[in-house]
Amino acid sequence: MQTSDHATIQILAGRIATGDEQAYRQLFRQFYKPLCQFAASIVRSNEQAEEIASDVFMNIWKNRERLLQVSNLKVYLYVATRNTALNYLNQQQLQHFSIDELSVDLTVADNTPEQLMISGEMARKMADAVNNLPPRCKMIYKLIREDGLKYKEVASILEISVNTIDVQMAIACKKISESLRLYLPKR
């Protein structure tokens, strides 16, 4: 996340805090789908994940005056989603949650310059390589590469150290690189 993105999100937070429904809808459109995917990786149910993301946004609107006290709204949304998902699991008496048990599906971002340069076949091979990563690696890779979060933000969301994030990203990149090397022409 670049500083301008952070500033834009914080401006939205300020507008929402004063009751600006258009700013709220803009925030919803920007984060609903990524938060659903994140929640689904925890609760393993798309329907429940949608309900969790909706609950997070309902609480944002209900407590909008407090948004001015939030220093990083993007991280706040992910942490709120994680906590709501864990509460759901606790209510379902599935209290044995481990980040290593997360199920993450990589979705290819639409129309990014990278995707336009990569052929459809290579994109599929890349998605396969990512989906074959160990669960913790895959979750961290997805949050950083797909959702655009910083290492420090992911560490905060998942309650692990930045060093763990760094190690997991190195493992992910190495495994993906090894997988793709089979398909790239030799020099």
Side-chain angles (χ1 to χ4, degrees):
M1 180 173 70
Q2 298 169 347
T3 307
S4 62
D5 292 341
H6 178 72
T8 302
I9 292 168
Q10 290 309 114
I11 290 168
L12 277 179
R15 289 175 48 203
I16 293 166
T18 62
D20 184 335
E21 291 181 29
Q22 183 179 357
Y24 175 74
R25 282 192 294 275
Q26 187 176 343
L27 183 75
F28 182 89
R29 281 191 303 273
Q30 185 173 351
F31 286 103
Y32 180 75
K33 186 176 179 185
L35 293 179
C36 282
Q37 292 171 343
F38 181 58
S41 71
I42 297 171
V43 298
R44 296 184 181 165
S45 161
N46 290 334
E47 296 79 20
Q48 191 58 45
E50 289 174 4
E51 194 171 313
I52 288 166
S54 295
D55 286 350
V56 167
F57 277 103
M58 255 183 8
N59 286 328
I60 290 288
W61 184 253
K62 216 182 332 183
N63 301 305
R64 60 188 173 274
E65 301 82 24
R66 296 185 198 160
L67 285 180
L68 296 175
Q69 300 164 7
V70 175
S71 62
N72 188 331
L73 182 56
K74 189 174 190 177
V75 170
Y76 180 84
L77 288 168
Y78 278 90
V79 170
T81 301
R82 181 200 66 207
N83 291 344
T84 305
L86 292 177
N87 286 341
Y88 168 78
L89 290 178
N90 284 335
Q91 289 169 357
Q92 300 300 310
Q93 300 177 344
L94 301 173
Q95 298 176 10
H96 305 317
F97 169 76
S98 163
I99 190 171
D100 293 320
E101 296 170 4
L102 292 175
S103 131
V104 181
D105 293 322
L106 180 76
T107 56
V108 179
D110 296 331
N111 298 325
T112 64
E114 279 180 317
Q115 287 310 125
L116 293 174
M117 291 172 49
I118 299 174
S119 72
E121 182 67 21
M122 187 55 82
R124 277 192 296 285
K125 291 183 187 328
M126 173 77 173
D128 288 345
V130 170
N131 284 326
N132 287 327
L133 291 172
R136 177 185 291 237
C137 238
K138 189 171 20 172
M139 169 60 76
I140 291 168
Y141 185 86
K142 178 200 171 302
L143 288 171
I144 290 171
R145 294 293 166 100
E146 186 178 320
D147 294 354
L149 295 170
K150 292 181 179 178
Y151 284 32
K152 192 174 177 181
E153 293 171 330
V154 174
S156 174
I157 291 165
L158 298 178
E159 296 178 332
I160 55 180
S161 75
V162 174
N163 288 342
T164 300
I165 302 293
D166 197 33
V167 168
Q168 292 295 314
M169 283 298 289
I171 290 168
C173 291
K174 182 178 180 201
K175 287 183 181 255
I176 291 168
S177 172
E178 288 169 356
S179 287
L180 294 179
R181 197 169 297 135
L182 299 170
Y183 304 106
L184 295 175
K186 305 264 190 260
R187 288 186 184 196

